[in-house]
Amino acid sequence: MKILLKRLRTILQYDCLYYFLLIINIIYIIIYVYNYELKSKYNINENKFILTISDIKIDGDKLALNFYEDLVGTYYFKNKKEKEEFNYEIGDKLEIEGSLKIPSNNTIFNTFNYKKYLERKGIKYILNINTILLKSKNRNILIKLKNLIYKRISNIKNNDYLYALILGRTNYIDNELYNNYKINGVTHLFSLSGLHVSMLSSIIIFILNKLRMHKKISLFLTSILLIIFSFIASFTPSILRATIFFILININEIYYLNIKSKNILYLTFIIITFINPNYIFNIGFILSFTITFFIILFNENYKIKGKIKSILIISLISFLSSIPLIINMSYEINILCFFNNLFFIPYVSYIVFPLALLNIIFPFLNDILTILITFMENMSEISTNIFNLYLYFARMNILEIIIYYTLFILIIKNKKIIILPFIVFVVYLYIKTGFNNNTYIYFIDVNQGDSTLIITKNKKSILIDTGGKIDFYKEKWALQNNKFNLMTSSMIPFFKSIGLKKIDYLLLTHGDYDHMGEAINLVNNFKVDKVIFNCGTYNELEQELINVLDKKKIPYYSCIKELNIDDNKLYFLNNNDYGNENDNSSVIYTELNNHKFLFMGDAGVGVEQDLIEKYNLQDIDVLKVGHHGSKTSSSELFIDEINPKYSIISVGKNNRYGHPNDSVLDNLENSKIYRTDKDGSIMFKINNNKLQTETCPP
């Protein structure tokens, strides 16, 4: 046995063994992903299901259920009593009636794709739930333990951070507070990761050592408890990585195998991706591995003395190694988040997180935890207002990512001569969009609304309308904390992804909510230089925006006739006051690289008649169709006069207005019609005076 172990130790010393296994594993992943075809045991026409709950999330009136049978379901409580009486738990088997639907792709370029996200989790359909009945209660002991912890947390006062720190449920934290953490670059502290596993294992080992437990038994018990913790946390990839890595590290130590930490990390990667190759698409998993790899690589090449210096270096390495991943996830970097982490990481890791764990056992500690969390929230708000400096980066391609990490590895390996090229390359990433001389026009899918972004060849940006969705009144119990916001969730990330750092001109065609409802969110969350309103008196929504503009000292104008932007001129053709918001819409005409564009807002047939009498608008290349294709606009006479080559209809899927009207589609039949409900966002690219199109279909 000793001879066998000795031979095994010798074999495990060879780096080439792990490189070989890693190459085989990567080939396996590529083959798997390339041939991956998601299949479901369900037929889309099924409406009755027997399903077992694997996860439960309640947010306002919305109930989200995950099932072990590879389905996710959504149900909306009809009243407060129904919500309060909901008492199902994880592991319960349910009889459900509902309808299946295929999730949609993202319809705005470079934004989160929910369909692909579900596919990588093996889920093909979403279940819209109509009725729920209990078939049988859970009898699994481990799941009962999981439910017990969930129930324990739910009964503790101010439990939002307990949900986040122990169960990874960040959606319980107030939106504004969480956004502050996001600005400060510290949200990773509230999403379960290797940091939490490290802290938990340290606490367990400390307690067991105090009990004079034998080292092997101590490490064995710690491993078991970490596996249980991983189960309670639903085996999220980053937790799974940290747990397996911990177990392998301790096997290495107990049996004196002398395997390098880097090779143990490779082995961990191989094990996890062999179990599920789709984990390579999980950002938490990739971040966890990347940061751990570079910390290990740094420790192999440098010996840092002093705890404070070590914390500083590790924080810097973590920050630099995560930059490409963060850029492609949020398209922005808070360059001061490194300094923020110097406070928040030790504060959360050594004070808040351990106390949160103790709070589960000793609820009387809740008052102390509340005080500490309040202090943390105040520090986050101060940091948000004073210590943040965002830089926006366009999306990185695979070649740029490879170059970045190659240069970074060389620097860590003590190739100091590479530092200058590394800095130059990072600067290039920041300014690279300036080298693109094409003109872009994006008709953005904002559901039943309008929004168009123009980027000139000189990088001036004009946003015509913002879209907007009316929120209907809800009682307090039904309000969702994690409410979707089109501007901050999709549009601003899209702006950043294409390297846009500000909106030079925000043109609001008129004051209807579906055209300017997101304007306040825009100016509150993104830099806007100037705002231009249409003719006519300001309505309530416009006045609300003006109050915000005054506070932010953003200049605004109304009822202008033309706008000069570098070599381009925008003409505002409609300066009459027709006495209603739609007909008062700004009608904007411009020529971009000799291509004619006409944006009609919601102007009606009467305005169209006035336009063709006053202007020569023949042979328009791209028409933004008026009023979402309503029969009140786009008359046959007007369309025949302007003769558009392309017609863009911005319209919501299955909208209650019946847009676009069939008669309008008939009038436009001689043009190429694009619709945001069918084609998603539509991009026109003008390259060497040639018009190219691309869509982002659902």
Side-chain angles (χ1 to χ4, degrees):
M1 185 68 179
K2 288 184 177 179
I3 295 173
L4 184 63
L5 190 59
K6 186 176 181 181
R7 287 179 179 176
L8 180 63
R9 286 194 189 106
T10 303
I11 293 171
L12 294 175
Q13 303 307 305
Y14 293 109
D15 289 344
C16 58
L17 169 66
Y18 303 95
Y19 296 145
F20 173 75
L21 291 174
L22 197 58
I23 291 169
I24 296 297
N25 179 250
I26 291 171
I27 293 171
Y28 162 70
I29 291 171
I30 292 171
I31 293 172
Y32 178 91
V33 170
Y34 183 76
N35 294 288
Y36 181 72
E37 183 181 354
L38 180 61
K39 295 181 180 179
S40 176
K41 61 183 178 181
Y42 301 103
N43 184 298
I44 196 166
N45 296 317
E46 286 184 65
N47 55 26
K48 292 184 178 181
F49 308 88
I50 304 296
L51 303 170
T52 306
I53 301 174
S54 63
D55 199 12
I56 302 170
K57 291 181 182 177
I58 297 176
D59 186 12
D61 63 346
K62 183 179 179 181
L63 168 66
L65 296 174
N66 287 12
F67 302 103
Y68 287 113
E69 293 82 2
D70 293 332
L71 278 179
V72 294
T74 303
Y75 178 79
Y76 288 90
F77 295 112
K78 297 177 181 64
N79 50 59
K80 185 178 181 181
K81 183 180 178 182
E82 185 184 25
K83 178 180 177 180
E84 291 172 344
E85 290 178 349
F86 180 84
N87 61 356
Y88 299 128
E89 297 179 318
I90 295 171
D92 288 351
K93 188 169 285 189
L94 307 177
E95 292 182 8
I96 292 177
E97 287 190 9
S99 58
L100 295 175
K101 73 170 185 177
I102 298 173
S104 298
N105 291 303
N106 57 305
T107 60
I108 298 179
F109 298 100
N110 302 333
T111 54
F112 176 68
N113 190 322
Y114 186 54
K115 183 179 181 180
K116 286 187 178 179
Y117 168 79
L118 290 180
E119 283 180 352
R120 295 305 177 185
K121 294 167 77 71
I123 298 170
K124 187 172 184 177
Y125 298 119
I126 297 173
L127 175 59
N128 291 326
I129 300 171
N130 296 325
T131 62
I132 305 173
L133 291 173
L134 178 67
K135 185 173 178 63
S136 62
K137 293 294 290 182
N138 165 65
R139 294 179 181 177
N140 185 290
I141 294 175
L142 284 176
I143 293 179
K144 282 185 177 181
L145 174 63
K146 190 172 185 175
N147 285 326
L148 181 66
I149 293 173
Y150 273 60
K151 190 174 291 185
R152 182 80 170 175
I153 291 175
S154 67
N155 291 330
I156 296 175
K157 186 176 65 173
N158 301 324
N159 55 18
D160 42 1
Y161 285 90
L162 297 180
Y163 277 113
L165 292 168
I166 297 171
L167 302 175
R169 300 291 187 79
T170 56
N171 60 301
Y172 285 87
I173 299 176
D174 178 79
N175 266 354
E176 187 175 343
L177 292 171
Y178 192 76
N179 188 55
N180 284 346
Y181 294 130
K182 184 178 179 182
I183 290 171
N184 292 318
V186 297
T187 53
H188 60 94
L189 295 171
F190 309 106
S191 302
L192 289 179
S193 64
L195 179 65
H196 298 84
V197 170
S198 176
M199 285 306 306
L200 182 59
S201 60
S202 298
I203 292 168
I204 295 169
I205 289 171
F206 175 79
I207 293 170
L208 294 177
N209 286 344
K210 287 294 182 181
L211 296 174
R212 300 185 182 278
M213 192 79 68
H214 188 275
K215 185 176 181 179
K216 286 187 178 181
I217 297 175
S218 173
L219 294 175
F220 175 77
L221 289 175
T222 304
S223 298
I224 296 297
L225 291 172
L226 287 181
I227 292 171
I228 294 172
F229 176 69
S230 299
F231 171 76
I232 292 168
S234 302
F235 290 110
T236 59
S238 54
I239 290 289
L240 195 60
R241 192 280 307 165
T243 300
I244 292 176
F245 186 69
F246 174 86
I247 292 170
L248 293 179
I249 282 284
N250 285 295
I251 291 173
N252 184 48
E253 184 179 343
I254 290 170
Y255 293 101
Y256 305 103
L257 299 177
N258 298 320
I259 306 172
K260 294 177 183 176
S261 296
K262 184 171 63 178
N263 291 334
I264 292 176
L265 186 67
Y266 295 153
L267 198 56
T268 304
F269 179 85
I270 291 165
I271 292 169
I272 294 176
T273 53
F274 181 78
I275 295 170
N276 186 354
N278 281 323
Y279 277 152
I280 64 165
F281 297 103
N282 183 283
I283 189 64
F285 174 78
I286 298 300
L287 265 172
S288 179
F289 261 101
T290 303
I291 292 172
T292 305
F293 169 79
F294 278 102
I295 289 173
I296 290 172
L297 187 66
F298 182 85
N299 288 334
E300 284 183 352
N301 289 273
Y302 300 90
K303 300 297 178 186
I304 304 298
K305 295 181 180 179
K307 195 163 187 177
I308 294 177
K309 190 175 181 180
S310 178
I311 291 173
L312 288 171
I313 294 295
I314 288 174
S315 296
L316 182 60
I317 295 295
S318 300
F319 171 67
L320 292 174
S321 63
S322 64
I323 280 179
L325 300 173
I326 293 174
I327 286 175
N328 277 14
M329 181 172 62
S330 61
Y331 312 113
E332 61 189 11
I333 296 290
N334 182 358
I335 61 174
L336 298 180
C337 74
F338 162 68
F339 300 101
N340 291 328
N341 276 296
L342 292 179
F343 165 74
F344 284 101
I345 286 180
Y347 187 79
V348 173
S349 301
Y350 297 112
I351 300 174
V352 176
F353 179 63
L355 193 58
L357 290 173
L358 289 172
N359 207 15
I360 302 297
I361 305 170
F362 308 111
F364 63 84
L365 295 173
N366 187 256
D367 289 338
I368 299 173
L369 181 62
T370 300
I371 293 170
L372 294 172
I373 285 174
T374 301
F375 174 72
M376 178 175 68
E377 290 173 347
N378 291 335
M379 290 298 293
S380 178
E381 187 173 355
I382 291 170
S383 181
T384 299
N385 296 327
I386 301 174
F387 303 113
N388 68 81
L389 180 60
Y390 268 111
L391 297 179
Y392 300 145
F393 289 81
R395 189 177 185 86
M396 292 176 66
N397 60 45
I398 188 65
L399 179 61
E400 290 168 340
I401 293 172
I402 291 171
I403 292 172
Y404 179 94
Y405 280 126
T406 300
L407 293 173
F408 192 40
I409 288 170
L410 290 173
I411 290 172
I412 290 178
K413 286 186 170 290
N414 215 6
K415 306 289 185 182
K416 294 182 180 179
I417 194 173
I418 304 298
I419 291 177
L420 183 57
F422 179 76
I423 294 172
V424 170
F425 184 69
V426 172
V427 172
Y428 155 77
L429 293 175
Y430 181 68
I431 65 172
K432 67 177 182 177
T433 53
F435 300 110
N436 186 338
N437 293 322
N438 299 320
T439 297
Y440 294 89
I441 303 91
Y442 296 91
F443 295 90
I444 305 169
D445 178 23
V446 290
N447 203 352
Q448 185 64 20
D450 268 19
S451 187
T452 305
L453 175 67
I454 300 171
I455 302 176
T456 70
K457 62 182 180 181
N458 295 322
K459 302 302 151 222
K460 291 293 184 181
S461 56
I462 305 110
L463 184 67
I464 304 175
D465 291 333
T466 65
K469 182 181 178 183
I470 298 175
D471 288 326
F472 295 100
Y473 171 78
K474 283 186 176 183
E475 294 181 37
K476 189 175 181 180
W477 70 269
L479 293 174
Q480 295 175 22
N481 181 48
N482 198 19
K483 188 172 69 173
F484 176 80
N485 180 287
L486 177 68
M487 182 58 68
T488 55
S489 299
S490 296
M491 290 182 69
I492 289 177
F494 161 64
F495 297 159
K496 295 172 183 175
S497 77
I498 58 175
L500 197 62
K501 296 171 176 58
K502 67 174 181 174
I503 298 294
D504 292 299
Y505 296 91
L506 171 59
L507 314 183
L508 299 171
T509 60
H510 61 295
D512 282 354
Y513 204 92
D514 60 335
H515 286 254
M516 63 162 292
E518 292 287 346
I520 291 176
N521 284 330
L522 174 65
V523 298
N524 280 334
N525 294 281
F526 201 71
K527 185 175 181 181
V528 176
D529 274 357
K530 297 179 180 67
V531 178
I532 297 173
F533 294 92
N534 63 320
C535 295
T537 57
Y538 296 129
N539 66 13
E540 186 177 337
L541 184 59
E542 289 169 316
Q543 192 58 59
E544 189 179 349
L545 172 61
I546 287 171
N547 293 338
V548 176
L549 298 177
D550 287 336
K551 287 180 182 178
K552 290 182 170 290
K553 294 182 172 53
I554 297 173
Y556 56 90
Y557 313 89
S558 65
C559 206
I560 67 172
K561 292 186 177 180
E562 61 182 53
L563 185 64
N564 295 308
I565 303 175
D566 293 336
D567 300 330
N568 302 291
K569 184 173 285 191
L570 276 69
Y571 298 93
F572 293 74
L573 306 183
N574 183 20
N575 300 114
N576 297 332
D577 188 346
Y578 289 87
N580 71 79
E581 201 65 55
N582 285 344
D583 283 345
N584 282 353
S585 292
S586 291
V587 175
I588 302 167
Y589 171 84
T590 187
E591 292 187 20
L592 302 170
N593 298 62
N594 298 317
H595 293 278
K596 300 175 182 178
F597 288 80
L598 182 63
F599 304 89
M600 292 299 299
D602 277 356
V605 173
V607 178
E608 293 173 353
Q609 179 66 38
D610 290 343
L611 292 176
I612 57 178
E613 290 177 1
K614 190 174 182 180
Y615 302 103
N616 178 15
L617 295 174
Q618 295 179 346
D619 298 323
I620 296 296
D621 288 291
V622 181
L623 167 70
K624 204 297 295 176
V625 174
H627 206 178
H628 321 288
S630 165
K631 64 182 179 181
T632 61
S633 303
S634 307
S635 67
E636 184 177 0
L637 177 66
F638 180 68
I639 298 302
D640 287 346
E641 176 71 21
I642 66 173
N643 188 30
K645 184 177 181 181
Y646 297 96
S647 298
I648 313 300
I649 303 176
S650 188
V651 62
K653 190 174 183 180
N654 300 322
N655 65 87
R656 60 178 178 164
Y657 308 102
H659 297 160
N661 187 269
D662 289 340
S663 63
V664 171
L665 295 176
D666 291 339
N667 293 341
L668 296 168
E669 64 179 353
N670 291 327
S671 67
K672 169 65 177 174
I673 299 173
Y674 287 104
R675 295 169 47 170
T676 56
D677 60 336
K678 293 185 175 182
D679 301 299
S681 297
I682 302 110
M683 178 192 76
F684 284 83
K685 174 182 172 184
I686 305 176
N687 181 12
N688 295 325
N689 289 329
K690 292 182 180 179
L691 207 58
Q692 303 169 5
T693 61
E694 184 179 338
T695 61
C696 191

